[in-house]
Amino acid sequence: MTKFLSGLAKGMATTARTMTTHAHTQQYPHVKPELPSRSRGVIALLEENCTSCMLCARECPDWCIYIDSHKETTPPATEGGRARQHNVLDRFAIDFSLCMYCGICIEVCPFDALFWSPEFEYSTTDIRDLLQEKDTLGQWMPTVPPPEPLVPELPETELQQLVVEVEPEDDPAAGRTTERGTGEVPPPGAGEQP
Amino acid sequence: MAGDIVEIVLRAVCVLAAFLVLPLLVGQTEHKVMAHMQGRLGPMEAGGFHGWAQLVADGIKFTQKEDIVPLAADKRVFRIAPALGIVSYLFALAVIPLGPHTVGADVPGSLVWVLAVGGIGTVGTLMAGWGSGNKYSLLGGLRTAAQLVSYELPLILACASFAIAAGSLSLVGIAHAWTPWWLLWQLPGAIVFLVAATAELQRPPFDMPVADSELVMGPYTEYTGLRFALFLLAEYAGIVVMSLLLGVLYLGGWTGPFDHQIGWLWTLLKGAIFAVLIIWIRVAWPRLREDQLQRVAWLGLVPLALLQLAITAIGVVVTSR
Ligand code: SF4
Ligand code: SF4
């Protein structure tokens, strides 16, 4: 019985505490969400990089990439030269009603023509309008964030420490230089002094 | 004579206005309080400032919905049921005093009147359950009836205790007789009243008749549009009536500082305390099973109410010496 009553009291206390603390709801249309730079919102196409190699279309698990292209021949620039052939992209479309945002197309593209963009506000009232053509895919290019640094940024002094500690071990040539005492390379631990 | 009629009409309009506005206030409070207790914000858009017009918008939405009467339903009964549900609380609200003279109709036995008309609402729910031609509705309606039978008794016993303590059956009289030590003396009765009132309103944790995981929506399963909205309105009107009633019976209604000027405000404030409590209980506690629900009534509330009756009787005898 006491357990029952204390349970009831605990329920009241918990709800009261939650009520008086701040709710973390973001009111989306009024407040834009802060998305991480690697969010999978939409796929952007950098048309200039695309060689119409079709790798992405073939690797896509649900075949939602459409590519049409044709070959053009450039005449030789100099006398007696060889004529060159290259692909011209006519159509590049991704059907976002089928896409499952697996990212395989982006991984597989050898020419860095596809990118993740955090942009997500492209819903439509008709499912057929989700088939986005290459000009729309290209318009999302400016929303692609620059890649994140591989090593998180460190304050200056710590970076110097890292460099100094690592150098003698990783690079035997550097170690030899210090042994010979040329004085050019600071001795280990020099970076620790401010 | 003409003046009398004008006064009657005016009082009726005021009661009706209160009947339409107060449940909306309670409903909005429930939206907001429940949301924040669950770490949400609740309605924020309708009407601009913190979604104050959410219930108005809901009402407009309900009026636009199709009014469907099932083929197998007992059509007349099905149509009348929501009206019955709501009328009972309107009748009850008419006699609840906000101040010594601020009352829709000052009748001598108003407490008896409130308890009597309170039962009509359950008849409405029973009619809805029976008339829908749906087994879930029927089960829900019968559970409602069972719940009414069990909880009406402790409710009436608790009210009897207040009446004996005051020596009056009129709500105005009871509020006049109130003294601060009722807070202790009548505490068990107030608890019994609060629990029984929540059960009468079929609100969680006593919402077995509409238990959505078992009975879809109980007696209201087949209802749509305005008729469904009327049932919802009846629920919130019920909270208003029960909270104000408890405020008048247990907290002395308009009694408070400056009660000559703002007595009605005190009554509303005291009612609001209980309304928030009823909402809070809903958020914090899990639903009772049907058998547990009956146990609470017969093994918990009825003995407690009888005990309260005895305490009240002793208190009255001792103090009247
Ligand atoms: S993300 Fe996956 S599913 Fe979508 S287009 Fe690329 S490969 Fe296809
Ligand atoms: S894999 Fe890259 S380069 Fe090849 S067709 Fe697809 S987007 Fe173009």
Side-chain angles (χ1 to χ4, degrees), chain B residues 122 142-158 192 195-200 206 208-209 288-303 305:
Chain B
T122 317
L142 291 180
R143 282 187 182 181
T144 308
Q147 196 157 319
L148 174 82
V149 171
S150 328
Y151 282 89
E152 195 78 352
L153 186 62
L155 192 73
I156 289 176
L157 287 178
V192 169
V195 175
T198 317
E200 289 274 291
F206 304 101
M208 213 56 220
L288 265 71
R289 219 167 46 214
E290 184 65 28
D291 61 316
Q292 295 170 331
L293 195 126
Q294 299 292 340
R295 265 184 100 80
V296 168
W298 294 105
L299 299 184
L301 293 189
V302 171

Side-chain angles (χ1 to χ4, degrees), chain A residues 43 60-62 64-65 94 99-105 116:
Chain A
I43 298 163
C60 174
D62 47 15
C64 64
I65 303 183
I94 298 180
C99 174
M100 54 188 181
Y101 302 89
C102 65
I104 289 177
C105 53
W116 277 122

